[in-house]
């Protein structure tokens, strides 16, 4: 099933409009190309209506947001929804500043994204109006663990129910949930947190997956999360002596590029509840 | 002749002012350094007059343009022309949005770039007021092929004549033309399209080549196009097991860095009409 | 002593707010992660007060500055100083444009950075109101050499005295000085200048080092300078056949990632005056 999601991306080459931060944008573009999608970036209010119109999905990321790009997010979001495109929200830094939190909440209310992907601190901020944060990283105190897994599954499912979106919370254990079904995913490696932007890359890739698999967005997002984690495992195995986080970044994108359906099916580690 | 162009770049270290998108800007800077040039980036209207004045060439790229950077493009363009600098226009996304198309057309009219480099869909948009597009990539329907080569050579030559610019159309087959001479170039690999920004990198490098070879801009741009394609071939040959598009990106820039005149002369595959 | 500085960074994981250029921002983020810090980027005036408040240090870099980001620099700078955070200024392109020079001088006057790190041409511009420049690179005519070393040490010490900041001038020979003590550092390789952003990376890393070592900022900055140069040596030693400046970039960040206290102590080459 995950393998079919992957093949649908490679077959249909979904064009994804990204309004994203300038820190990790190059990696997002290369990750989208690696998975079989096609990226385009635009954050000028006068440009985004045209650009999003020719795409299949819209990936909105609140990292390094500014007044201009925020305006673009709402314009593009409205247009994308009007056209029935998939919209994904990645609320980078929600909880770290009022502007980021408020922008993410307003996007949820006005654009109604189909998918929301963030770390646990960001999602807690959006769901509960609270949640600690350590900059753009999740606070350890918030982490999804084996000990609190049942409660976190329920939390995620309810937030999906409330928002009508597929919710993806990524960390040591990843959760992907709609109102009915939750995927608990255990792919990935801790070292991925020493690279900037693996979350941003996943958001781009997950948008492409959801666009290419319109009948099964939740499975598609779960497939993208497994893909990213598995690529993290494969990339790590390819590290050569003396290599560190910068080479690891390249090797993860390389692993996405080389992934096929059989490898994804075999390597994905998840349970469904 | 191509080798001499390369050596002139390494000898004179041309300083190139880039107003370019934030997706591929880092790769543009490293590609410029790799080829022997020196990059500087600035897109603030109050900053660009000073910056472009100390440079030898200006590379204007319309990807992720915004109101502020558009204003900067016109100010820097006017100043660069006033000083007799080489100006290259890379109309990223022309045809994909009205803002990008209109900006590129206005830059052509008011700044009169010395070189215009784009994919075939972008160039058709500028030349014919039409042309399909697939985001920032060329549409397959537009492609330059062996079957339509004569017509495309003529199309390119005429557009060069009309604009007074050297026109470079890059794809599976590359065309570089002024009003009299056309270079048909067959270097490169299809896998280069799976990396974001090889076109943007080429535009930066081609600007440096044109600056360093003022008596023969057309040859210089053809040399840059051969260099980029050849670097794509060499970089591909250096790929190790498990590597994909992200490592390929690095290996192409590495190949530009290690290229010398003899290797370029030997590896360039082109015919002149 | 340098080793202790390194360990303090890895132990305390200092969160650094970066207002930096979009050319090298991804490398700055990965270099900060590699050294044990945690990066966050924000340049929107409405966002920076919140963001800088949760950090320990602020790294201000004037590359690709614009009216909006300049406003953000002053707001964040004021807030950071109010909170007693470390503020580092990297005056990229001072001397290359009036806007960059004036912004850097105004930041020095109003924000009073704790550390100023630049190349010799940039620092001369700020110290003497003159200084040649070659874009964002130092002019060879300005270089710190064995021949002018005594005079340059005295110049650096006096500028530190005048500004109250730790001054770091990096090039073939690096100088780090406060009013009393100067470190003369001979780590690094000439090939590092063929990569965009090693200076920007160092500024991010030096901010983290100063945050994590509040009692000894000068030593901390010297340690960061040694670390960067040593990583340049180690990364170079790891280059494989066919690799060039793009792979070198990755291997330097990898070397920062893998550095430990013993390796830094052993590899650092410096004298104290």
């Amino acid at each position: 099933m995950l393998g079919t999601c992957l093949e649908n991306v490679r077959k249909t080459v979904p064009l994804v409009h990204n309004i994203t931060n300038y820190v990790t944008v190059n990696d997002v573009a290369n990750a989208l190309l690696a998975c079989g999608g096609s990226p385009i970036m635009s954050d000028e209010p006068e440009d985004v209506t045209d650009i999003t119109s020719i795409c299949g999905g819209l990936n909105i990321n609140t990292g390094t947001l500014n007044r201009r790009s925020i305006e673009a997010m709402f314009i593009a979001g409205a247009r994308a929804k009007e056209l029935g495109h998939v919209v994904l929200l990645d609320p980078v830094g929600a909880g770290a500043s009022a502007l980021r939190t408020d922008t993410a909440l307003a996007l949820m209310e006005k654009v109604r994204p189909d998918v929301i992907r963030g770390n646990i601190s960001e999602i807690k901020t959006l769901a509960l109006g609270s949640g600690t944060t350590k900059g753009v990283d999740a606070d350890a105190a918030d982490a999804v663990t084996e000990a609190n897994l049942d409660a976190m599954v329920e939390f995620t499912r309810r937030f999906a129910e409330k928002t009508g979106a597929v919710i993806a919370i990524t960390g040591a254990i990843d959760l992907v949930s709609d109102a009915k079904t939750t995927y608990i995913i255990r792919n990935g490696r801790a070292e991925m947190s020493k690279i900037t932007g693996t979350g941003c890359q996943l958001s781009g890739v997950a948008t492409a997956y959801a666009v290419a698999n319109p009948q099964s967005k939740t499975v598609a997002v779960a497939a993208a999360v497994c893909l990213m984690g598995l690529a993290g495992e494969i990339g790590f195995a390819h590290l050569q002596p003396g290599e560190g986080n910068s080479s690891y970044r390249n090797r993860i994108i390389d692993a996405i590029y080389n992934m096929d359906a059989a490898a994804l099916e075999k390597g994905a580690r998840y349970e469904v509840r």
Side-chain angles (χ1 to χ4, degrees), chain A:
Chain A
M1 202 166 55
L2 304 190
T4 307
C5 291
L6 178 151
E7 282 170 350
N8 287 338
V9 176
R10 297 220 184 268
K11 252 182 267 171
T12 60
V13 193
L15 191 51
V16 175
H17 174 198
N18 301 272
I19 303 179
T20 189
N21 66 80
Y22 58 81
V23 185
T24 66
V25 59
N26 183 268
D27 294 328
V28 170
N30 277 324
L32 265 164
L33 285 161
C35 82
S38 181
I40 186 163
M41 277 65 178
S42 168
D43 65 6
E44 161 58 45
E46 292 183 45
D47 196 48
V48 292
T49 302
D50 284 359
I51 295 296
T52 221
S53 298
I54 59 171
C55 292
L58 171 64
N59 170 31
I60 301 177
N61 176 306
T62 57
T64 65
L65 79 190
N66 59 54
R67 276 285 146 212
R68 186 193 71 235
S69 65
I70 293 171
E71 189 188 342
M73 290 172 191
F74 284 94
I75 293 171
R79 177 65 176 155
K81 291 299 282 191
E82 196 178 286
L83 295 170
H85 294 178
V86 170
V87 177
L88 180 145
L89 171 64
D90 184 340
V92 172
S97 77
L99 184 65
R100 294 180 188 220
T101 305
D102 294 349
T103 299
L105 289 171
L107 285 164
M108 284 171 59
E109 189 193 326
K110 293 187 185 156
V111 175
R112 302 219 148 262
D114 304 276
V115 186
I116 303 172
R117 192 218 65 83
N119 66 44
I120 179 63
S121 296
E122 290 159 350
I123 301 296
K124 272 194 174 173
T125 296
L126 301 184
L128 310 173
S130 72
T132 58
T133 183
K134 185 163 191 294
V136 291
D137 294 318
D139 192 296
D142 288 330
V144 178
T145 63
E146 301 295 348
N148 67 15
L149 188 56
D150 289 349
M152 294 311 302
V153 166
E154 183 57 15
F155 162 77
T156 310
R157 201 196 57 71
R158 283 202 191 173
F159 189 48
E161 197 169 54
K162 185 181 157 198
T163 58
V166 177
I167 304 299
I169 298 174
T170 53
I173 300 172
D174 308 311
L175 301 175
V176 175
S177 188
D178 58 25
K180 291 184 200 152
T181 311
T182 302
Y183 292 79
I184 302 167
I185 298 168
R186 292 187 175 82
N187 287 106
R189 288 193 65 97
E191 291 85 354
M192 295 172 79
S193 67
K194 295 298 176 195
I195 305 168
T196 191
T198 51
C200 302
Q201 291 174 40
L202 172 54
S203 289
V205 169
T207 308
Y209 268 64
V211 172
N213 297 280
Q215 306 309 322
S216 47
K217 277 183 203 136
T218 311
V219 183
V221 172
V225 172
C226 290
L227 168 70
M228 192 74 208
L230 183 55
E233 297 169 22
I234 294 170
F236 193 85
H238 278 99
L239 284 175
Q240 302 297 309
E243 293 188 346
N245 64 331
S246 189
S247 291
Y248 189 25
R249 178 259 312 266
N250 295 313
R251 295 198 180 282
I252 292 174
I253 299 175
D254 288 350
I256 297 172
Y257 183 84
N258 288 312
M259 193 80 67
D260 62 21
L264 179 58
E265 290 282 3
K266 193 178 166 199
R269 286 182 291 151
Y270 66 97
E271 56 175 299
V272 188
R273 285 201 196 168

